[in-house]
Amino acid sequence: MNPGIDLQASVIHVLTDLGVPEDLAPVLWVPLPLLLMLAAATVGVLVAVWLERKVSAAAQQRVGPEYIGPLGILAPVADGLKLIFKEDVIPAKADPLLFTLGPAIVVIPVFLSYLVVPFGQKMVITDLGIGIFFWIALASVVPIGLLMAGYASNNKYALLGGLRAAAQSISYEIPLALAVLAIVMMSNSLSTIDIVQQQSGYGILGWNLWRQPVGLVIFWVAALAECERLPFDLPEAEEELVAGYQTEYTGMKFGLFYLGSYVNLILSSLLFAVLYLGGWESPVSVSWLVGLVGVPENTPWVEVITASLGVVMTLFKAYLLLFLAILLRWTVPRVRIDQLLDLGWKFLLPVSLVNLLATAALKLAFPVAFGG
Amino acid sequence: MNLAAGVQIVSFGLLAAIILVGALGVVLLPNIVFAAFLLGLVFIGMAGQYLLLNADFVAAAQVLIYVGAVNVLILFAIMLVNKKEDFTPLPRAWVRRGATALVCLGLFALMGTTIASTPWALDPAPTVSSSVATIGAHFFSDFLLPFELVSVLLLAALIGAVVLARRDYLPTVKEQETVFSLPERPRELITSDSK
Amino acid sequence: MLKFLRQAKDYAQEAVQAARYIGQGLAVTFDHMQRRPITVQYPYEKLIPSERWRGRIHFEFDKCISCEVCVRVCPINLPVVDWEYNKEVKKKELKHYSIDFGVCIFCGNCVEYCPTNCLSMTEEYEMAVYDRHELNYDGVALGRLPYKVTADPMVTPLRELAYLPAGVLDPHNLPPGSTRAGQQPEEIVAQHQAQKPSKEINQ
C-alpha cells in the first residue's frame, strides 16, 4: 500500500534545510496542523451554515440568503461578525464563572476530536492508537458543559434544557459506542487510519456500508441525537424551552454554542464517512486507475492528485451526510422526551447489541469478508 | 534534560496541582454544585496522569466513564434536588469535623507509609504500541475471574435499577380519589319566562 | 414462546413501517427541493396586480357632479364631499373631495355606483406612512396616478397567480409566451364584439 505524501517529514526537511536546528524543527511543526485544523473546522462551519440556510430554503420553496455576497455565501460570516460585536451580557443572578466556562467546555472537546479525523494516509494530526475511542471519550465531556451552562444561567428553561441534553447525550452514547465497536471488531483496530485501510482496495464495494447496514443506521440516529439535530433537538426545543441551555446567552458565548453544534455535526459526518463510507477512498479505487494508466504510483504529481482527491472525497462525503441531516430536519417532526428515551434505550440499544453479536458471529464464520 | 522530558515534568506538576487543589475543593467547598464540577476536573487530571504513564486507553476510559457518566450522573442528582434547605447549625459541629479530619489524616498516614515501604520496582517494561491489545489479553487470561466478577456485579446493579425504576414491583399506596369540582359558582340559567 | 415471537415480529414490522414512512417523507422533502422558489424579492420584484385589484381609489375632480352617491353607498359614509350651490348656473359646484384611506375598507361600492365614473380603482397598494393622517387623501392626491409596476425601471414585474397558466404557482422563470388559465380580458372583449353583429342580425 502506498503511504502517499508525508507532509510532516517534508516540512521538517524544509525547516532543517533553512537552518533550523534538528531538535527544534519537529516542535515548529506541531502547531501547524493544529492551526490548520482549527481554521478548516471554522471554515467548514461557515459552509455548513450556508448550506443549512440554502437547503432549508430550497426545501421550503424559498430563495434563502441571496444579497450577502454571491448566492449569499457571506451570510454566515455576517452572522459571526454580528455575534462577535454583540454585547456580552451575564445575567445579574447568574453564576459568572460557570456561565463563562460552560460554552468553552462544550466547544473544546469537539475541536479536540478533530485530532483523529483522517483526510489521507498521512493527512491526520495524530494517528492515535485509541483513535475512535478518543472521540467517544471526548464527546462524553460535552454534557458537563451543557449542565454547567444550564445551571449557571439560573433560569428554569436553561436548567431543563441542560438536564435534557445530558440525559439525551448519555442515552445515545451507548448505541453509538456499540455501533462503533462493531466496526472496530471488523478492522481489529481503534485507529481511524486502520479502519479506512481495512475498507480500501475494492472501491465502493469494500466500504463498511455493505457490511454494517444496521450499524450505519444506528450510528446516524445516535450521531444526530448527540449533535441535537432536529428530530432530537429537545434540549433547545423552542416551543417549550425557549432555547434550552442557550436561553440566557448572547454574543460570542452564544456564538460558541452555535459554532460547537455545527462543528460537532460536521465532525459526526466526517467520522460517519470514515467509519462507513471508506474515508478518503474514492468509489473507484485510485490505485487501480493509476495502474490502468500505467504511471508508477509514487510519481510526485500522482501522489499530489491522490492526496487532494482524498481530502475532496472525505469532505464530499461529509457534506453529503450534512445534506441528509438537513433533509431529515425538514422531514421528521421533533420527538417527545419519553419517545426519545424509548428509542434510545428500548430500540437502539438492543438492536445495536444484536448487531454487535451478529458481527462477531459473521467475523468468525467469514473471516475473509469481515476482517478475520 | 531534553525537551520531551521537560514537557513531561512540567505537565506532571500541573496535573498534580490540579488534582490536589481540585480534590481539596471537592471536600471543602460549601457549594455542592461547585464541588461536583471540581470532581470532574479531578477526574480529567487523573486521565492526564494516566496519559503521562503511556496508558492512553485507560485515560480515555477514565474520561468516558468517570467524567462522562459518573460525574454527569452526580450533577444530575444534585440538580434534580429541587429544594434549597437551610440546615440548623449543630451545637458542636467542630467535634465532627475534627473527628473526620483525624480519620482522614490517619488514612493518609497509613497510605503514606505503605507507599514509602513498598519497593516500587520499576522494571523497564517495553512500551507497547497498542495498550488495548495488551489489556485485552490480560482480561482473558490472568485477570479473567475479576473481569467476570465485575461484569456480574454490573449486571446485578442493572437489574436492581430496572426493579427500582419499574413501579409495579413496589407496593403502592392507595391514593385517595379526589373529586374535581369547578371553581366557578353555579349560575342560574337565564330563561325567557323569568323576565 | 410463540406469543413472544409474535410480539417480536410485530415490533419488527412496526420498525420497518416507521422506516418506510420516514423514507416517504424524505422523498417528499427532496421533491420540494427541485421546485422553483415562490419568493418575491419585494422591493426589486413586484407582482402585477390582477385587473380586478381593489387598490387606492382614483378620483377625477372635473367629472364629479357632487351627487353624494358615493357617500350614501359607503358602509361608513367615508367620502367627504364639500360643494356649494351655484345659483347662476343652477348647479352644484365641488370645492373639496377627500377619502381617508386609513379608514376605507376598499369595498369598491363608491366606484360601482358613481354615475359619472369619476371614481375608479387603481393598482396601488403601497400606502405605508409615518402618520395615519397622511392617509387622508384630498382631491389632488386622489387625482394622482400610481406608478405602474410594469413601467417602473427599478422593478422586475412578476405575474401574479391569476396570470399564470393552470397548474403553475411560480412566477419565476416562466417559459416565454405562457399565459394564465382562462381567457384574457382582451379576448373577452374580442369575443363580445364578434357576438354583437350576430345578435343584431337576429334582431
Side-chain angles (χ1 to χ4, degrees):
Chain A
M1 189 69 205
N2 182 29
I5 38 179
D6 189 352
L7 276 177
Q8 180 175 9
S10 26
V11 168
I12 290 174
H13 189 71
V14 167
L15 282 175
T16 42
D17 281 357
L18 283 172
V20 180
E22 295 245 344
D23 292 348
L24 206 60
V27 179
L28 283 181
W29 157 259
V30 167
L32 288 181
L34 297 180
L35 288 178
L36 186 71
M37 212 44 145
L38 207 63
T42 314
V43 172
V45 168
L46 294 184
V47 177
V49 171
W50 179 76
L51 260 182
E52 169 108 53
R53 297 179 75 161
K54 270 300 199 195
V55 174
S56 302
Q60 297 167 353
Q61 299 183 46
R62 293 185 286 116
V63 181
E66 185 161 289
Y67 291 104
I68 320 171
L71 288 173
I73 48 172
L74 294 180
V77 181
D79 283 359
L81 279 179
K82 183 199 81 172
L83 285 175
I84 287 173
F85 287 119
K86 241 177 148 174
E87 188 192 351
D88 183 24
V89 181
I90 295 179
K93 296 209 169 169
D95 190 319
L97 186 68
L98 294 183
F99 192 78
T100 315
L101 213 56
I105 292 184
V106 173
V107 169
I108 289 170
V110 181
F111 271 102
L112 272 184
S113 303
Y114 273 85
L115 286 177
V116 293
V117 177
F119 290 95
Q121 187 74 28
K122 292 272 180 187
M123 310 269 262
V124 58
I125 299 181
T126 49
D127 177 17
L128 288 178
I130 53 166
I132 201 81
F133 189 57
F134 180 73
W135 170 58
I136 292 174
L138 280 179
S140 73
V141 177
V142 173
I144 293 227
L146 300 181
L147 276 175
M148 200 180 270
Y151 170 77
S153 299
N154 204 356
N155 173 324
K156 58 188 164 197
Y157 298 118
L159 183 62
L160 276 177
L163 289 175
R164 275 189 184 186
Q168 178 173 337
S169 189
I170 289 184
S171 327
Y172 279 81
E173 225 156 60
I174 300 166
L176 187 78
L178 286 175
V180 171
L181 195 58
I183 295 281
V184 169
M185 200 150 64
M186 289 197 311
S187 46
N188 295 321
S189 170
L190 285 164
S191 156
T192 42
I193 302 272
D194 291 352
I195 288 172
V196 176
Q197 293 237 306
Q198 186 254 348
Q199 304 176 51
S200 66
Y202 301 98
I204 194 168
L205 294 175
W207 295 355
N208 279 336
L209 176 69
W210 313 113
R211 282 177 282 190
Q212 283 286 327
V214 181
L216 174 141
V217 174
I218 294 167
F219 184 91
W220 187 237
V221 173
L224 282 183
E226 289 273 300
C227 299
E228 286 148 21
R229 285 293 301 183
L230 201 85
F232 309 109
D233 74 333
L234 292 132
E236 53 225 73
E238 53 275 309
E239 290 88 352
E240 26 193 298
L241 288 184
V242 191
Y245 52 84
Q246 308 169 351
T247 307
E248 298 288 344
Y249 281 89
T250 50
M252 209 46 216
K253 283 177 194 154
F254 171 77
L256 279 183
F257 277 131
Y258 191 73
L259 183 76
S261 74
Y262 277 101
V263 171
N264 205 357
L265 183 63
I266 297 174
L267 179 73
S268 299
S269 306
L270 279 169
L271 283 168
F272 187 97
V274 166
L275 290 173
Y276 294 100
L277 303 180
W280 63 82
E281 297 285 324
S282 1
V284 182
S285 172
V286 174
S287 56
W288 177 75
L289 271 184
V290 169
L292 212 65
V293 176
V295 191
E297 228 179 284
N298 48 5
T299 329
W301 64 269
V302 172
E303 280 191 344
V304 168
I305 287 180
T306 319
S308 34
L309 191 70
V311 175
V312 170
M313 269 336 274
T314 320
L315 288 177
F316 173 71
K317 287 167 188 169
Y319 278 106
L320 204 68
L321 290 163
L322 195 81
F323 174 71
L324 182 67
I326 299 170
L327 272 196
L328 270 171
R329 171 178 182 170
W330 298 117
T331 305
V332 190
R334 181 186 303 132
V335 294
R336 258 184 352 240
I337 184 84
D338 60 321
Q339 293 169 333
L340 175 97
L341 295 178
D342 255 19
L343 180 71
W345 289 104
K346 292 190 190 163
F347 182 73
L348 288 184
L349 182 62
V351 169
S352 56
L353 278 172
V354 168
N355 180 46
L356 187 65
L357 218 63
T359 313
L362 284 170
K363 180 172 165 155
L364 287 180
F366 310 101
V368 186
F370 288 87
Chain B
M1 190 169 75
N2 62 0
L3 198 71
V7 168
Q8 200 157 1
I9 283 179
V10 168
S11 36
F12 173 79
L14 274 178
L15 288 170
I18 286 176
I19 292 174
L20 283 179
V21 173
L24 282 176
V26 173
V27 179
L28 299 177
L29 276 183
N31 188 340
I32 191 168
V33 176
F34 274 107
F37 280 127
L38 274 179
L39 188 65
L41 187 70
V42 173
F43 287 145
I44 295 261
M46 281 163 71
Q49 294 284 28
Y50 288 139
L51 266 189
L52 284 183
L53 295 169
N54 271 338
D56 52 354
F57 184 78
V58 182
Q62 164 91 9
V63 171
L64 177 67
I65 293 163
Y66 281 93
V67 182
V70 173
N71 197 31
V72 167
L73 287 180
I74 290 174
L75 280 169
F76 226 93
I78 289 171
M79 287 182 185
L80 285 179
V81 174
N82 49 5
K83 216 169 181 185
K84 202 171 187 178
E85 204 175 326
D86 288 323
F87 295 104
T88 48
L90 288 167
R92 273 190 291 267
W94 64 269
V95 176
R96 297 173 180 224
R97 288 200 189 136
T100 320
L102 218 65
V103 170
C104 287
L105 277 177
L107 274 176
F108 183 73
L110 200 67
M111 278 160 80
T113 46
T114 320
I115 289 169
S117 61
T118 311
W120 295 97
L122 286 172
D123 56 329
T127 48
V128 280
S129 58
S130 153
S131 57
V132 188
T134 321
I135 292 171
H138 278 300
F139 269 159
F140 287 99
S141 56
D142 42 351
F143 285 98
L144 184 61
L145 188 65
F147 180 60
E148 291 300 325
L149 278 180
V150 165
S151 54
V152 169
L153 179 74
L154 284 178
L155 188 67
L158 201 68
I159 292 170
V162 170
V163 169
L164 279 180
R166 290 196 63 162
R167 297 281 167 168
D168 43 339
Y169 291 119
L170 294 175
T172 49
V173 186
K174 277 236 167 176
E175 282 182 29
Q176 266 197 328
E177 280 201 16
T178 46
V179 180
F180 294 104
S181 57
L182 289 173
E184 307 155 25
R185 94 189 125 90
R187 272 180 300 180
E188 284 172 24
L189 290 173
I190 300 166
T191 45
S192 51
D193 52 16
S194 70
K195 271 182 189 172
Chain C
M1 188 65 201
L2 256 174
K3 197 184 160 205
F4 171 75
L5 275 183
R6 201 167 59 228
Q7 268 183 342
K9 200 186 115 206
D10 287 352
Y11 193 67
Q13 268 177 347
E14 271 175 30
V16 168
Q17 200 178 36
R20 235 196 21 241
Y21 286 159
I22 289 176
Q24 284 176 359
L26 273 178
V28 170
T29 318
F30 195 74
D31 181 61
H32 270 260
M33 308 248 334
Q34 55 184 346
R35 300 186 190 178
R36 285 169 302 196
I38 55 165
T39 311
V40 176
Q41 304 273 15
Y42 168 62
Y44 313 110
E45 294 177 343
K46 285 176 188 171
L47 291 175
I48 306 170
S50 68
E51 65 260 27
R52 293 179 61 180
W53 176 261
R54 299 204 296 256
R56 196 259 293 166
I57 291 163
H58 178 259
F59 174 70
E60 267 180 80
F61 197 89
D62 297 337
K63 272 192 188 174
C64 183
I65 53 170
S66 313
C67 65
E68 293 192 10
V69 161
C70 46
V71 184
R72 263 178 282 152
V73 297
C74 182
I76 45 174
N77 302 341
L78 182 63
V80 178
V81 190
D82 176 20
W83 51 267
E84 214 168 60
Y85 188 66
N86 190 337
K87 283 190 176 155
E88 286 162 27
V89 288
K90 293 186 176 171
K91 266 184 182 165
K92 289 190 229 172
E93 225 168 45
L94 185 62
K95 286 162 77 183
H96 300 287
Y97 186 92
S98 68
I99 298 176
D100 187 349
F101 286 109
V103 188
C104 176
I105 60 166
F106 300 95
C107 66
N109 275 354
C110 48
V111 177
E112 201 75 17
Y113 282 92
C114 182
T116 57
N117 275 345
C118 67
L119 287 170
S120 57
M121 288 294 191
T122 67
E123 53 188 46
E124 185 186 348
Y125 51 86
E126 294 148 317
M127 297 203 292
V129 286
Y130 284 104
D131 181 2
R132 65 192 164 92
H133 300 297
E134 285 173 40
L135 286 173
N136 195 354
Y137 280 42
D138 66 351
V140 180
L142 282 168
R144 288 195 190 109
L145 279 171
Y147 239 102
K148 259 173 113 175
V149 172
T150 40
D152 194 341
M154 298 290 290
V155 171
T156 315
L158 295 176
R159 281 182 287 185
E160 210 192 0
L161 298 180
Y163 288 90
L164 296 171
V168 176
L169 284 178
D170 176 23
H172 291 268
N173 316 324
L174 275 185
S178 50
T179 53
R180 70 161 158 99
Q183 291 173 318
Q184 299 283 339
E186 53 269 21
E187 286 173 349
I188 298 174
V189 172
Q191 227 174 30
H192 194 66
Q193 278 167 352
Q195 269 176 359
K196 248 185 193 168
S198 62
K199 264 187 191 169
E200 280 163 9
I201 291 164
N202 284 350
Q203 283 168 354

